[in-house]
CSV table of all heavy atoms in Angstrom, one decimal:
chain,number,residue,atom,x,y,z
S,80,MET,N,52.1,27.0,16.8
S,80,MET,CA,51.5,28.2,17.4
S,80,MET,C,52.6,29.2,17.7
S,80,MET,O,53.6,28.9,18.3
S,80,MET,CB,50.8,27.8,18.8
S,80,MET,CG,50.4,28.9,19.6
S,80,MET,SD,48.8,29.5,19.0
S,80,MET,CE,47.8,28.1,19.5
S,81,LEU,N,52.4,30.5,17.4
S,81,LEU,CA,53.4,31.5,17.6
S,81,LEU,C,53.4,31.9,19.1
S,81,LEU,O,52.3,32.2,19.6
S,81,LEU,CB,53.1,32.7,16.7
S,81,LEU,CG,53.5,32.5,15.2
S,81,LEU,CD1,52.8,33.6,14.4
S,81,LEU,CD2,55.0,32.6,15.1
S,82,GLU,N,54.6,31.9,19.8
S,82,GLU,CA,54.6,32.4,21.1
S,82,GLU,C,54.8,34.0,20.9
S,82,GLU,O,55.4,34.4,20.0
S,82,GLU,CB,55.8,31.9,21.9
S,82,GLU,CG,55.7,30.3,22.1
S,82,GLU,CD,54.3,30.0,22.8
S,82,GLU,OE1,53.9,30.8,23.7
S,82,GLU,OE2,53.7,29.0,22.4
S,83,MET,N,54.3,34.7,21.9
S,83,MET,CA,54.3,36.2,21.8
S,83,MET,C,55.8,36.6,21.6
S,83,MET,O,56.1,37.4,20.7
S,83,MET,CB,53.8,36.8,23.1
S,83,MET,CG,52.5,37.5,23.0
S,83,MET,SD,51.8,37.9,21.4
S,83,MET,CE,50.7,39.1,21.9
S,84,SER,N,56.7,36.1,22.5
S,84,SER,CA,58.1,36.6,22.4
S,84,SER,C,58.7,36.3,21.0
S,84,SER,O,59.1,37.2,20.3
S,84,SER,CB,58.9,35.9,23.5
S,84,SER,OG,58.8,34.5,23.2
S,85,GLU,N,58.5,35.1,20.5
S,85,GLU,CA,59.0,34.7,19.2
S,85,GLU,C,58.4,35.6,18.2
S,85,GLU,O,59.1,36.1,17.3
S,85,GLU,CB,58.6,33.2,19.0
S,85,GLU,CG,59.0,32.7,17.7
S,85,GLU,CD,58.3,31.3,17.4
S,85,GLU,OE1,58.0,30.6,18.4
S,85,GLU,OE2,58.0,31.0,16.3
S,86,SER,N,57.1,35.9,18.3
S,86,SER,CA,56.5,36.7,17.2
S,86,SER,C,57.0,38.1,17.2
S,86,SER,O,57.1,38.7,16.2
S,86,SER,CB,55.0,36.7,17.4
S,86,SER,OG,54.7,37.4,18.6
S,87,GLU,N,57.4,38.6,18.5
S,87,GLU,CA,57.8,40.0,18.4
S,87,GLU,C,59.0,40.3,17.5
S,87,GLU,O,59.0,41.2,16.7
S,87,GLU,CB,58.1,40.5,19.9
S,87,GLU,CG,56.9,41.3,20.5
S,87,GLU,CD,56.7,40.9,22.0
S,87,GLU,OE1,57.7,40.6,22.6
S,87,GLU,OE2,55.6,40.9,22.4
S,88,ASN,N,60.0,39.4,17.6
S,88,ASN,CA,61.2,39.7,16.8
S,88,ASN,C,60.9,39.4,15.3
S,88,ASN,O,61.5,40.0,14.4
S,88,ASN,CB,62.5,39.0,17.3
S,88,ASN,CG,62.2,37.5,17.3
S,88,ASN,OD1,61.6,36.9,16.3
S,88,ASN,ND2,62.6,36.8,18.4
S,89,ILE,N,59.9,38.5,15.1
S,89,ILE,CA,59.5,38.3,13.6
S,89,ILE,C,59.0,39.6,13.1
S,89,ILE,O,59.1,40.0,11.9
S,89,ILE,CB,58.5,37.2,13.5
S,89,ILE,CG1,59.1,35.9,13.9
S,89,ILE,CG2,57.9,37.1,12.1
S,89,ILE,CD1,58.2,34.7,13.8
S,90,HIS,N,58.2,40.4,14.0
S,90,HIS,CA,57.6,41.7,13.5
S,90,HIS,C,58.7,42.5,12.8
S,90,HIS,O,58.4,43.2,11.8
S,90,HIS,CB,57.1,42.5,14.7
S,90,HIS,CG,55.8,42.1,15.1
S,90,HIS,ND1,54.6,42.8,14.8
S,90,HIS,CD2,55.3,41.0,15.9
S,90,HIS,CE1,53.6,42.1,15.3
S,90,HIS,NE2,54.0,41.1,16.0
S,91,THR,N,59.9,42.5,13.2
S,91,THR,CA,60.9,43.4,12.7
S,91,THR,C,61.1,43.2,11.2
S,91,THR,O,61.2,44.1,10.4
S,91,THR,CB,62.2,43.2,13.4
S,91,THR,OG1,62.6,41.8,13.3
S,91,THR,CG2,62.1,43.7,14.9
S,92,ASN,N,61.1,41.9,10.8
S,92,ASN,CA,61.4,41.8,9.3
S,92,ASN,C,60.2,41.3,8.5
S,92,ASN,O,60.3,40.8,7.4
S,92,ASN,CB,62.6,40.8,9.1
S,92,ASN,CG,62.3,39.5,9.9
S,92,ASN,OD1,61.1,39.1,10.0
S,92,ASN,ND2,63.3,38.8,10.3
S,93,SER,N,58.9,41.4,9.1
S,93,SER,CA,57.8,41.1,8.2
S,93,SER,C,57.4,42.3,7.5
S,93,SER,O,57.8,43.4,7.8
S,93,SER,CB,56.6,40.6,9.1
S,93,SER,OG,56.2,41.7,9.8
S,106,PHE,N,36.3,31.6,12.5
S,106,PHE,CA,37.5,31.1,13.2
S,106,PHE,C,37.3,31.4,14.7
S,106,PHE,O,37.0,32.5,15.1
S,106,PHE,CB,38.7,31.9,12.6
S,106,PHE,CG,40.0,31.6,13.5
S,106,PHE,CD1,40.6,30.3,13.5
S,106,PHE,CD2,40.5,32.6,14.2
S,106,PHE,CE1,41.7,30.1,14.2
S,106,PHE,CE2,41.7,32.4,15.0
S,106,PHE,CZ,42.3,31.1,15.0
S,108,ALA,N,39.3,31.5,18.1
S,108,ALA,CA,40.7,31.6,18.7
S,108,ALA,C,40.9,30.5,19.7
S,108,ALA,O,40.0,30.1,20.5
S,108,ALA,CB,40.8,33.0,19.4
S,109,THR,N,42.1,30.0,19.7
S,109,THR,CA,42.5,28.9,20.7
S,109,THR,C,43.5,29.5,21.6
S,109,THR,O,44.2,28.7,22.3
S,109,THR,CB,43.0,27.7,19.9
S,109,THR,OG1,44.1,28.1,19.1
S,109,THR,CG2,41.9,27.0,19.1
S,110,GLY,N,43.8,30.8,21.5
S,110,GLY,CA,44.8,31.3,22.5
S,110,GLY,C,44.5,32.8,22.6
S,110,GLY,O,43.9,33.4,21.7
S,111,ALA,N,45.0,33.4,23.7
S,111,ALA,CA,44.7,34.8,24.0
S,111,ALA,C,45.3,35.7,22.9
S,111,ALA,O,44.7,36.8,22.7
S,111,ALA,CB,45.3,35.2,25.4
S,112,GLU,N,46.3,35.3,22.3
S,112,GLU,CA,47.0,36.2,21.3
S,112,GLU,C,46.3,36.1,19.9
S,112,GLU,O,46.7,36.7,19.0
S,112,GLU,CB,48.4,35.8,21.1
S,112,GLU,CG,48.8,34.6,20.3
S,112,GLU,CD,48.5,33.3,21.1
S,112,GLU,OE1,47.9,33.4,22.2
S,112,GLU,OE2,48.8,32.2,20.6
S,113,GLN,N,45.2,35.2,19.8
S,113,GLN,CA,44.5,35.0,18.5
S,113,GLN,C,43.2,35.8,18.5
S,113,GLN,O,42.7,36.2,19.6
S,113,GLN,CB,44.2,33.6,18.3
S,113,GLN,CG,45.5,32.7,18.0
S,113,GLN,CD,45.1,31.3,17.8
S,113,GLN,OE1,44.0,30.9,17.7
S,113,GLN,NE2,46.2,30.4,17.6
S,114,LEU,N,42.7,36.1,17.3
S,114,LEU,CA,41.5,36.9,17.2
S,114,LEU,C,40.4,36.1,16.5
S,114,LEU,O,40.6,35.6,15.4
S,114,LEU,CB,41.9,38.2,16.3
S,114,LEU,CG,40.7,39.2,16.0
S,114,LEU,CD1,40.2,39.8,17.3
S,114,LEU,CD2,41.2,40.2,15.0
S,126,GLU,N,49.9,43.3,9.7
S,126,GLU,CA,51.2,42.7,9.3
S,126,GLU,C,51.0,41.2,8.9
S,126,GLU,O,50.3,40.5,9.6
S,126,GLU,CB,52.1,42.6,10.6
S,126,GLU,CG,52.9,43.9,10.8
S,126,GLU,CD,53.9,43.7,12.0
S,126,GLU,OE1,54.8,42.9,11.7
S,126,GLU,OE2,53.6,44.2,13.0
S,127,GLN,N,51.6,40.9,7.8
S,127,GLN,CA,51.6,39.5,7.4
S,127,GLN,C,52.8,38.9,8.1
S,127,GLN,O,53.9,38.7,7.4
S,127,GLN,CB,51.6,39.3,5.9
S,127,GLN,CG,50.3,39.9,5.3
S,127,GLN,CD,50.2,39.7,3.8
S,127,GLN,OE1,51.1,39.2,3.2
S,127,GLN,NE2,49.1,40.2,3.2
S,128,VAL,N,52.7,38.6,9.4
S,128,VAL,CA,53.8,38.3,10.2
S,128,VAL,C,54.6,37.1,9.6
S,128,VAL,O,55.8,37.0,9.6
S,128,VAL,CB,53.3,38.0,11.6
S,128,VAL,CG1,54.5,37.6,12.5
S,128,VAL,CG2,52.6,39.2,12.2
S,129,CYS,N,53.8,36.1,9.2
S,129,CYS,CA,54.5,35.0,8.4
S,129,CYS,C,53.4,34.4,7.5
S,129,CYS,O,52.3,35.0,7.4
S,129,CYS,CB,54.9,33.9,9.4
S,129,CYS,SG,53.6,33.1,10.3
S,130,THR,N,53.7,33.4,6.8
S,130,THR,CA,52.8,32.9,5.7
S,130,THR,C,51.4,32.6,6.3
S,130,THR,O,50.4,33.0,5.8
S,130,THR,CB,53.3,31.6,5.1
S,130,THR,OG1,54.7,31.9,4.8
S,130,THR,CG2,52.5,31.3,3.8
S,131,ASP,N,51.4,31.9,7.5
S,131,ASP,CA,50.1,31.3,8.0
S,131,ASP,C,49.4,32.2,9.0
S,131,ASP,O,48.2,32.1,9.2
S,131,ASP,CB,50.4,30.0,8.6
S,131,ASP,CG,50.9,28.9,7.6
S,131,ASP,OD1,50.6,29.2,6.4
S,131,ASP,OD2,51.6,28.0,8.0
S,132,TRP,N,50.2,33.1,9.6
S,132,TRP,CA,49.5,33.9,10.7
S,132,TRP,C,49.8,35.4,10.4
S,132,TRP,O,50.9,35.8,10.2
S,132,TRP,CB,50.0,33.5,12.1
S,132,TRP,CG,49.6,32.2,12.5
S,132,TRP,CD1,50.3,31.0,12.3
S,132,TRP,CD2,48.3,31.8,13.1
S,132,TRP,NE1,49.5,29.9,12.7
S,132,TRP,CE2,48.3,30.4,13.2
S,132,TRP,CE3,47.2,32.5,13.5
S,132,TRP,CZ2,47.2,29.7,13.8
S,132,TRP,CZ3,46.1,31.8,14.0
S,132,TRP,CH2,46.2,30.5,14.2
S,133,TRP,N,48.7,36.2,10.5
S,133,TRP,CA,48.8,37.6,10.3
S,133,TRP,C,48.3,38.3,11.5
S,133,TRP,O,47.4,37.8,12.2
S,133,TRP,CB,47.9,38.0,9.0
S,133,TRP,CG,48.4,37.5,7.7
S,133,TRP,CD1,49.6,36.8,7.5
S,133,TRP,CD2,47.7,37.5,6.5
S,133,TRP,NE1,49.7,36.5,6.2
S,133,TRP,CE2,48.6,36.9,5.5
S,133,TRP,CE3,46.5,38.0,6.1
S,133,TRP,CZ2,48.2,36.7,4.2
S,133,TRP,CZ3,46.1,37.8,4.7
S,133,TRP,CH2,47.0,37.2,3.8
S,134,TRP,N,48.8,39.5,11.7
S,134,TRP,CA,48.4,40.4,12.8
S,134,TRP,C,47.3,41.3,12.4
S,134,TRP,O,47.5,42.1,11.4
S,134,TRP,CB,49.6,41.2,13.3
S,134,TRP,CG,49.3,42.0,14.5
S,134,TRP,CD1,49.2,43.4,14.6
S,134,TRP,CD2,49.1,41.6,15.9
S,134,TRP,NE1,48.9,43.8,15.9
S,134,TRP,CE2,48.9,42.7,16.7
S,134,TRP,CE3,49.0,40.3,16.5
S,134,TRP,CZ2,48.6,42.6,18.0
S,134,TRP,CZ3,48.8,40.2,17.8
S,134,TRP,CH2,48.6,41.4,18.6
S,135,ALA,N,46.1,41.1,12.9
S,135,ALA,CA,44.9,41.8,12.4
S,135,ALA,C,44.1,42.5,13.5
S,135,ALA,O,44.3,42.2,14.7
S,135,ALA,CB,44.1,40.8,11.6
S,142,GLY,N,44.8,40.7,17.2
S,142,GLY,CA,45.3,39.3,17.4
S,142,GLY,C,45.8,38.7,16.1
S,142,GLY,O,45.6,39.2,15.0
S,143,TYR,N,46.3,37.5,16.3
S,143,TYR,CA,46.8,36.7,15.1
S,143,TYR,C,45.6,36.0,14.5
S,143,TYR,O,44.7,35.5,15.2
S,143,TYR,CB,47.8,35.7,15.6
S,143,TYR,CG,49.1,36.4,15.9
S,143,TYR,CD1,49.5,36.5,17.3
S,143,TYR,CD2,49.9,36.9,14.9
S,143,TYR,CE1,50.7,37.2,17.6
S,143,TYR,CE2,51.1,37.5,15.3
S,143,TYR,CZ,51.5,37.7,16.6
S,143,TYR,OH,52.6,38.4,16.9
S,144,VAL,N,45.6,36.0,13.2
S,144,VAL,CA,44.5,35.3,12.4
S,144,VAL,C,45.1,34.4,11.4
S,144,VAL,O,46.2,34.7,10.9
S,144,VAL,CB,43.5,36.3,11.8
S,144,VAL,CG1,42.8,37.2,12.8
S,144,VAL,CG2,44.3,37.2,10.8
S,145,PRO,N,44.5,33.3,11.1
S,145,PRO,CA,45.0,32.3,10.1
S,145,PRO,C,44.7,32.9,8.7
S,145,PRO,O,43.6,33.1,8.3
S,145,PRO,CB,44.2,31.1,10.3
S,145,PRO,CG,42.9,31.5,10.9
S,145,PRO,CD,43.2,32.7,11.7
S,146,SER,N,45.8,33.1,7.9
S,146,SER,CA,45.7,33.8,6.6
S,146,SER,C,44.8,33.0,5.6
S,146,SER,O,44.1,33.5,4.8
S,146,SER,CB,47.1,34.0,6.0
S,146,SER,OG,47.7,32.7,5.9
Side-chain angles (χ1 to χ4, degrees):
M80 173 81 68
L81 284 162
E82 295 306 323
M83 251 344 199
S84 54
E85 178 191 331
S86 66
E87 262 140 29
N88 55 46
I89 293 181
H90 275 260
T91 52
N92 51 29
S93 67
F106 170 69
T109 54
E112 77 286 5
Q113 292 179 4
L114 179 64
E126 276 188 70
Q127 297 182 357
V128 177
C129 65
T130 313
D131 298 334
W132 292 92
W133 294 349
W134 183 251
Y143 288 104
V144 296
S146 57

